[in-house]
Amino acid sequence: MTRFVEFTGGDVEAFLQSQENKDLLRFITCGSVDDGKSTLIGRLLYESKMLFEDQLSALEADSKKLGTQGGNLDFALLVDGLAAEREQGITIDVAYRAFTTSRRKFIVADTPGHEQYTRNMATGASTADLAIILIDARRGVLTQTRRHTFICTLLGISQLVVAVNKMDLVGYSRETFEKIESDYRSFAKGLGAENVTVIPVSALAGDNMIERSANMPWYRGATLMAHLETVPVGSTAVDGPFRMPVQWVSRPDQNFRGFAGTIASGRVKKGDALKVLPSARQSIVERIVTFDGDLEEAFAEQAVTITLKDEIDVSRGDVLCAGAAPVEVSDQFEAQVLWMGDSEMLPGRPYIIKSATKSVSGTLDKIKFKVNVNTLEHVAAKTLALNEIGTCVLELDTPLAFAPYRQNKALGSFIIIDRFTNNTVGMGLITFALRRAANIHWQATDVNKVSRAHLLKQQPAVLWFTGLSGAGKSTIANLVEKKLHAEGRLTYLLDGDNVRHGLNRDLGFTDADRVENIRRVAEVAKLMADAGLIVLVSFISPFKAERLMARERIGADFAEIFVDTSLAEAERRDVKGLYAKARRGDIKNFTGISSPYEAPEKPELRIDTGLHKPEEAADAIIAFLRAKEDLTTP
Amino acid sequence: MDTLAQTFLTQIEQFLKEKSLEASAFGKQALGDPNFVFDLRKGRSPSTRTLEKVRGFMAASAAAVAPPAATPAARAGKAFTHLDRLEAESIHIIREVAAECEKPVMLYSIGKDSAVMLHLALKAFYPAKPPFPLLHVDTRWKFRDMYTMRDEIPKRYGLDLLVYVNPEGIEKDINPFDHGSQLHTHIMKTEGLKQAIDKFGFDAAFGGARRDEEKSRAKERIFSFRDSKHRWDPKNQRPELWNLYNARKNKGESIRVFPLSNWTELDVWQYIHRENIPIVPLYFAKERPVVWRDGQIILVDDDRMRLLPGETPEMRKVRFRTLGCYPLTGGIDSDAENLLDIVEEMLVATSSERQGRVIDKDQAASMEKKKQEGYF
């Protein structure tokens, strides 16, 4: 949908040329519910003659049926495209519209105002160069105005335009406008917002939208459209040093090996010396290949394929950098995170972190503070809930080549993906690295796990017992340990209740604390297995993600034993009287009652306590252990 | 207030705006008088001395802070245009799918958007071929020119083309005349596509849809997830941030990917012109046998076309803005015989391109509903 007011016939080819040389401004509109965002966009489209006749007649019909403007054109219906939005008269998700004026091309994202849709607003904001923040002149700067401004500045949107809307409803009062302007500016200054422009408008009546308003002669600044057409924008990425994350390795035949990607910053020429990170291998640019022929030089934002003079190992996720100015590499960062998951973020739980073209496993930890987006106060927090923003430590399993977000958006941004639902549950910005990966080494020792196991004449193992409280984990684990001990094996039993008296006495039973509880025990079990022991871990360990974390940390020694007792049965037994207390509400977050238990899907061993007595179960586990030893001992 | 004072005030207001400076702070810094600007606004005429002082203050602070660069450093004389930007974005998306998905496929509907999408895929992987096949979900009622093009293009580029027709449609001889546009489209297009994706086990399918086509498309993500029944849940879309696409899916889910999301109809034509991309001749005006039906110009493309009583085909110079099943696609009167004519015609057009699509008008919010049922 594109219409051109300025085309009046004549040389089409020349016209196309002029169109092609226009630059592109991507902007978002945000603001409180009912501030008139959709109306503002509709008005811009309508006034710029961007609407076709069939769309206008559909709009007329819709306005009569669903409109909120008493039968007059309701521009909001142009952008609120989902049935649910039209029914409820609100914006739920981002809508993207393209339009063109004689000076510029635009893509506008209309973003929702409700707090519950903040993640959708962030979706629109992450690709915007400019944000229009609407304020209802009758209501002034509101909580949502502050929240949206905060998110825009967080994401580094360089231009903010405040449209003080509905000026017609306050009698075009200059005092009202100036009061709002000064309120807003003093707030925005605190956030470090640099380019703020405040314009009094009426989107519904058309004041200061395209034409200067005769109703507000006291306003001497640009109209909204004039500002959008002239505000300086454009990526400054081309000025930085060369960086290109490798997206795809192209190997059509034996003779060609190219690295395809979009240049994140800077420029690259044939013959340039490059460094590949994190490996720090070096080479020289041989060719810059494109479908339209080789290039001598390529620039930021171009999608190209680069070949190198040397056969060095480069794969997807690596970053090609200017040899003289490589990026940093680290595995621990301070990051700002906006949480988008329906269930809260759990510190210590492994998530998939995708940054540029690399996906690695990582955890978010040690939340320094979360920001009350309405007051901008820093608040202490243990976890982040949906739409909350906090500063925390990002720790990765694998080193990452990166740049701080303020320097390079492509190499400083990441998304957080839940390993089980596969949803995008958060977005993050790297502030800085907490340590350089180069500085940490695993201390290699001469006496190692193999030599210790040899001395003990046994195969180290970690038997991880999981199941509901009262399922019989500790009873069975205790029996197994007695039997192994009788055979002369060196064992240790880590019991959930006992560990909570010492190592984990500082932890409670919230989801976040449960994750940390398991993380610590997994580390302890790993050290003990490294010492050569057969470790029995008897922990409820209710979450799949943490059991997977333990499995990954411990490796081949790990075996999951699911002590499977139904909730009804465990509650009937209730040896410790805990279920009764939980039912009365005396214990909060009790697994099975008020906190979930996620049963293992593929445990190494499943013990059905309805079918087997503890004695039989213990024998089955010993047999399992023997089989495992046979497999691993040559 | 005299003109001098008026001009002076305009300059000050501009300065305040640029520097994000409060009027009171300005007065204080320039003259030690926080009320200065307010007095000026009320109509006070300043003395020459005051005027000079204030101008000196503005000049000094303008010199102190260098203006920010309006445009990025020059790109060796060659501008990175709007189309270059769109092209690079689409290539990035196509490569990302190839890298992250196990078995992608490119939907090839033979129209202009498909032509552009295929061209972008060729560019994305050059000198290699795109690492995925093309899929045409055939309804058996496309224009004949489309079938010619469909069989020629993959051959030219050495690509695999899969053609799928819903066997139920063949068995029951589903057609637009006996079954109506809605049922025909549902069985042959929507069901056919779902069956094809399930049959071949594709986990991602590229489509050439653009956000400027229709209101619910404008709301859709570039990576759009479908559940095991191929349904779109518009109220529960994944956040999509920067150009970081999350292509991880749950068992049974598949992804529709729209690399042309941010293109407009004009962008597509401009790009076809710039890159000299071959398109179906039906886009160009020619004398063709047509009938008028329900206010639409329908081409009598083969002898399966059922004429209603009173209908006689007439020769008319027409062309098509979009292509679909010929009995369901309205043409327009036109003299546009080449690309530039088409663009010119589009520039002065008063109706949108989907106006010729009979299927969109069957009911309100029909595209959203169709997409929820699994339509592309």
Side-chain angles (χ1 to χ4, degrees):
Chain A
M1 196 200 69
T2 353
R3 293 211 49 197
F4 297 86
V5 263
E6 80 265 38
F7 182 76
T8 47
D11 187 346
V12 182
E13 184 124 41
F15 173 77
L16 280 185
Q17 196 57 48
S18 73
Q19 290 305 311
E20 212 192 299
N21 291 334
K22 284 177 185 172
D23 62 3
L24 171 69
L25 176 73
R26 293 185 72 137
F27 69 97
I28 59 167
T29 52
C30 47
S32 302
V33 186
D34 296 332
D35 280 353
K37 292 182 307 300
S38 306
T39 309
L40 181 121
I41 295 182
R43 170 63 74 171
L44 285 177
L45 297 176
Y46 179 75
E47 294 274 355
S48 327
K49 313 263 190 305
M50 295 290 158
L51 299 174
F52 289 114
E53 278 173 7
D54 58 322
Q55 290 168 325
L56 267 179
S57 61
L59 175 64
E60 269 169 38
D62 283 355
S63 296
K64 281 188 189 123
K65 199 164 87 185
L66 297 159
T68 54
Q69 300 301 331
N72 292 329
L73 290 184
D74 183 353
F75 296 112
L77 295 171
L78 280 175
V79 270
D80 287 338
L82 301 176
E85 294 178 320
R86 296 155 78 85
E87 276 159 30
Q88 298 173 46
I90 56 161
T91 308
I92 293 175
D93 213 329
V94 199
Y96 298 87
R97 301 295 296 231
F99 66 98
T100 305
T101 67
S102 55
R103 305 177 73 158
R104 227 174 215 166
K105 297 201 176 218
F106 298 91
I107 294 176
V108 50
D110 181 26
T111 63
H114 289 76
E115 187 159 7
Q116 69 192 102
Y117 304 125
T118 296
R119 58 183 171 189
N120 295 340
M121 185 216 148
T123 289
S126 69
T127 52
D129 309 310
L130 175 149
I132 298 180
I133 295 164
L134 273 98
I135 294 179
D136 184 332
R138 296 167 304 174
R139 299 194 288 172
V141 175
L142 297 180
T143 304
Q144 307 209 34
T145 321
R146 295 194 193 96
R147 175 156 45 84
H148 292 156
T149 304
F150 176 66
I151 293 168
C152 290
T153 52
L154 177 78
L155 290 178
I157 296 180
S158 58
Q159 295 283 347
L160 298 182
V161 177
V162 179
V164 180
N165 192 21
K166 308 196 184 180
M167 287 301 291
D168 52 327
L169 300 182
V170 294
Y172 298 106
S173 156
R174 178 176 184 167
E175 282 71 35
T176 307
F177 173 73
E178 281 173 355
K179 168 83 171 54
I180 292 172
E181 171 166 17
S182 111
D183 283 356
Y184 185 85
R185 284 192 187 279
S186 60
F187 160 75
K189 213 175 254 172
L191 285 172
E194 282 165 14
N195 305 301
V196 178
T197 306
V198 189
I199 306 175
V201 302
S202 168
L204 199 65
D207 294 283
N208 282 335
M209 294 292 290
I210 314 285
E211 303 290 335
R212 303 193 61 85
S213 168
N215 297 315
M216 293 176 273
W218 45 265
Y219 174 73
R220 293 185 169 80
T223 63
L224 182 61
M225 183 60 101
H227 182 72
L228 293 177
E229 284 185 319
T230 54
V231 62
V233 282
S235 159
T236 49
V238 75
D239 296 329
F242 173 70
R243 276 106 178 72
M244 185 185 95
V246 175
Q247 206 183 358
W248 175 262
V249 179
S250 177
R251 300 216 64 176
D253 57 57
Q254 296 278 305
N255 305 319
F256 188 91
R257 190 153 161 272
F259 307 105
T262 306
I263 300 175
S265 67
R267 50 179 74 194
V268 65
K269 275 203 290 285
K270 266 204 301 204
D272 277 1
L274 294 190
K275 200 171 236 180
V276 185
L277 287 165
S279 72
R281 290 190 181 87
Q282 303 188 45
S283 189
I284 287 166
V285 177
E286 188 182 46
R287 293 172 61 196
I288 303 168
V289 183
T290 77
F291 181 84
D292 304 298
D294 279 15
L295 301 177
E296 281 300 315
E297 194 176 13
F299 301 87
E301 295 181 74
Q302 277 180 287
V304 293
T305 300
I306 290 177
T307 66
L308 300 177
K309 285 221 164 110
D310 309 277
E311 280 247 340
I312 56 172
D313 181 17
V314 181
S315 38
R316 173 172 161 88
D318 289 347
V319 181
L320 304 184
C321 302
V327 291
E328 276 183 77
V329 173
S330 180
D331 60 359
Q332 203 187 55
F333 310 90
E334 180 170 306
Q336 289 173 294
V337 168
L338 166 56
W339 194 252
M340 300 172 154
D342 292 324
S343 45
E344 63 182 13
M345 161 187 147
L346 293 178
R349 166 172 288 192
Y351 294 99
I352 292 160
I353 306 293
K354 182 174 182 186
S355 174
T357 55
K358 188 154 186 145
S359 296
V360 297
S361 177
T363 57
L364 297 152
D365 222 333
K366 304 193 193 87
I367 301 176
K368 273 174 71 180
F369 56 82
K370 67 180 178 192
V371 179
N372 177 330
V373 285
N374 299 328
T375 61
L376 300 186
E377 280 172 327
H378 292 182
V379 188
K382 287 197 128 183
T383 176
L384 295 177
L386 176 64
N387 295 325
E388 286 188 336
I389 297 168
T391 294
C392 55
V393 173
L394 168 69
E395 193 142 354
L396 304 178
D397 283 5
T398 321
L400 180 78
F402 79 100
Y405 185 76
R406 296 280 157 211
Q407 283 173 27
N408 192 317
K409 283 190 185 184
L411 292 175
S413 53
F414 60 92
I415 54 172
I416 305 161
I417 302 168
D418 185 277
R419 297 164 61 127
F420 291 94
T421 63
N422 286 319
N423 274 330
T424 304
V425 290
M427 68 191 292
L429 320 169
I430 295 176
T431 324
F432 50 79
L434 288 168
R435 65 175 175 223
R436 283 167 185 248
N439 297 342
I440 26 160
H441 300 282
W442 185 255
Q443 193 64 42
T445 47
D446 293 330
V447 177
N448 58 25
K449 182 171 155 190
V450 177
S451 52
R452 285 186 286 260
H454 190 72
L455 187 72
L456 294 172
K457 296 187 179 59
Q458 67 182 28
Q459 181 70 32
V462 176
L463 300 175
W464 193 282
F465 293 79
T466 174
L468 293 168
S469 172
K473 296 181 299 296
S474 295
T475 311
I476 297 170
N478 187 40
L479 268 173
V480 173
E481 190 179 26
K482 264 165 61 181
K483 284 171 189 277
L484 289 171
H485 187 74
E487 287 179 14
R489 310 293 192 95
L490 203 52
T491 59
Y492 195 87
L493 173 58
L494 287 164
D495 181 84
D497 288 348
N498 297 351
V499 173
R500 279 187 178 276
H501 282 116
L503 178 64
N504 290 352
R505 68 190 300 168
D506 56 327
L507 299 177
F509 289 89
T510 60
D511 286 357
D513 279 358
R514 282 175 191 274
V515 173
E516 176 61 11
N517 186 35
I518 300 303
R519 189 192 67 80
R520 290 186 197 172
V521 170
E523 292 291 355
V524 171
K526 188 185 170 181
L527 288 175
M528 286 182 163
D530 194 58
L533 305 188
I534 296 169
V535 191
L536 299 92
V537 181
S538 172
F539 270 65
I540 297 172
S541 42
F543 304 133
K544 273 188 217 165
E546 280 65 57
R547 293 195 304 265
L548 181 62
M549 168 178 76
R551 181 184 290 276
E552 284 174 356
R553 292 215 180 237
I554 293 163
D557 295 338
F558 183 92
E560 189 174 46
I561 297 168
F562 178 27
V563 182
D564 192 358
T565 303
S566 70
L567 179 63
E569 174 59 18
E571 197 168 354
R572 192 191 60 75
R573 290 184 206 155
D574 204 6
V575 189
K576 300 175 194 160
L578 296 175
Y579 283 95
K581 281 190 193 167
R583 288 284 181 204
R584 286 199 304 270
D586 294 348
I587 309 177
K588 281 181 194 156
N589 298 320
F590 191 79
T591 300
I593 308 288
S594 44
S595 182
Y597 178 78
E598 301 167 4
E601 276 159 16
K602 283 184 199 153
E604 271 76 8
L605 208 60
R606 178 174 161 271
I607 307 288
D608 186 339
T609 61
L611 297 174
H612 303 286
K613 293 202 163 57
E615 193 71 29
E616 294 165 19
D619 287 339
I621 293 166
I622 302 268
F624 165 77
L625 205 53
R626 291 242 165 78
K628 193 170 148 71
E629 279 175 0
D630 286 347
L631 278 178
T632 46
T633 333
Chain B
M1 201 199 241
D2 55 36
T3 8
L4 182 72
Q6 182 94 50
T7 325
F8 184 51
L9 180 58
T10 314
Q11 285 168 353
I12 292 177
E13 300 280 7
Q14 186 63 33
F15 182 85
L16 293 179
K17 211 160 115 63
E18 276 168 15
K19 301 282 170 197
S20 304
L21 205 62
E22 304 288 336
S24 56
F26 177 87
K28 215 171 165 191
Q29 286 171 31
L31 295 165
D33 175 13
N35 292 321
F36 171 71
V37 182
F38 298 96
D39 290 345
L40 211 59
R41 282 176 183 162
K42 281 182 199 141
R44 192 183 110 179
S45 292
S47 72
T48 320
R49 228 180 114 225
T50 312
L51 222 145
E52 272 171 16
K53 239 180 167 175
V54 173
R55 284 204 171 129
F57 168 74
M58 289 199 287
S61 42
V65 191
T71 45
R75 293 168 176 272
K78 193 176 172 259
F80 196 60
T81 65
H82 175 66
L83 280 183
D84 292 332
R85 212 165 283 244
L86 288 171
E87 178 190 72
E89 182 191 54
S90 302
I91 289 175
H92 179 84
I93 293 164
I94 294 170
R95 286 174 175 168
E96 205 58 15
V97 171
E100 297 232 332
C101 296
E102 280 162 35
K103 205 176 172 191
V105 68
M106 182 165 274
L107 267 285
Y108 182 62
S109 69
I110 322 161
K112 63 183 194 305
D113 302 302
S114 277
V116 166
M117 186 166 64
L118 175 60
H119 187 76
L120 290 164
L122 293 169
K123 283 198 166 193
F125 299 100
Y126 180 85
K129 281 177 197 160
F132 41 74
L134 304 178
L135 171 67
H136 178 226
V137 178
D138 190 11
T139 61
R140 305 194 297 162
W141 287 91
K142 303 291 175 194
F143 294 88
R144 281 175 301 156
D145 279 354
M146 292 173 74
Y147 290 113
T148 314
M149 183 92 175
R150 179 193 76 183
D151 297 335
E152 185 204 315
I153 290 293
K155 251 184 244 158
R156 184 185 303 180
Y157 299 111
L159 302 174
D160 290 332
L161 170 77
L162 304 162
V163 175
Y164 185 86
V165 188
N166 182 352
E168 190 196 346
I170 300 177
E171 190 191 318
K172 296 189 176 149
D173 192 25
I174 299 292
N175 66 71
F177 303 111
D178 297 320
H179 303 94
S181 68
Q182 228 178 318
L183 188 72
H184 170 76
T185 308
H186 179 73
I187 294 195
M188 301 310 289
K189 263 180 113 167
T190 308
E191 289 302 316
L193 172 69
K194 291 199 272 190
Q195 289 170 3
I197 287 179
D198 291 343
K199 181 186 164 191
F200 296 107
F202 294 123
D203 61 343
F206 293 103
R210 309 185 318 267
R211 283 171 174 157
D212 79 328
E213 277 178 69
E214 199 273 338
K215 279 194 289 275
S216 65
R217 294 247 198 242
K219 291 270 172 181
E220 195 165 6
R221 301 278 190 261
I222 292 173
F223 279 52
S224 184
F225 284 75
R226 302 301 156 92
D227 66 13
S228 55
K229 303 226 163 58
H230 300 271
R231 280 181 306 227
W232 181 51
D233 181 0
K235 282 194 268 183
N236 195 19
Q237 301 194 78
R238 276 188 191 172
E240 195 166 82
L241 304 148
W242 300 288
N243 61 354
L244 286 175
Y245 303 104
N246 171 7
R248 300 177 71 92
K249 56 213 156 288
N250 295 314
K251 214 166 180 280
E253 276 182 345
S254 59
I255 318 177
R256 307 285 185 271
V257 184
F258 304 108
L260 305 185
S261 287
N262 290 324
W263 295 56
T264 63
E265 190 184 6
L266 181 71
D267 296 329
V268 166
W269 283 118
Q270 256 182 288
Y271 192 70
I272 288 171
H273 177 59
R274 189 182 93 172
E275 304 281 316
N276 201 13
I277 300 171
I279 51 168
V280 182
L282 291 159
Y283 286 113
F284 302 111
K286 206 181 123 181
E287 293 279 334
R288 296 184 166 100
V290 298
V291 293
W292 280 90
R293 188 176 287 181
D294 302 331
Q296 303 266 3
I297 301 175
I298 304 292
L299 183 70
V300 182
D301 195 45
D302 58 33
D303 52 18
R304 295 180 298 169
M305 176 74 184
R306 289 187 211 160
L307 296 177
L308 299 176
E311 275 182 352
T312 350
E314 54 168 314
M315 290 305 281
R316 223 180 150 95
K317 195 162 185 188
V318 296
R319 65 177 207 89
F320 295 83
R321 289 178 74 184
T322 58
L323 298 177
C325 294
Y326 80 80
L328 300 175
T329 307
I332 51 167
D333 287 319
S334 170
D335 283 317
E337 292 178 359
N338 61 45
L339 274 174
L340 291 178
D341 290 349
I342 291 179
V343 173
E344 180 170 12
E345 193 183 272
M346 209 190 77
L347 293 173
V348 295
T350 55
S351 58
S352 72
E353 62 183 321
R354 292 207 78 86
Q355 191 243 354
R357 290 286 180 109
V358 177
I359 57 167
D360 284 1
K361 296 196 198 119
D362 285 342
Q363 59 200 112
S366 64
M367 180 66 86
E368 182 182 347
K369 196 162 171 296
K370 282 210 293 285
K371 288 174 82 68
Q372 288 182 32
E373 289 164 359
Y375 183 79
F376 219 81

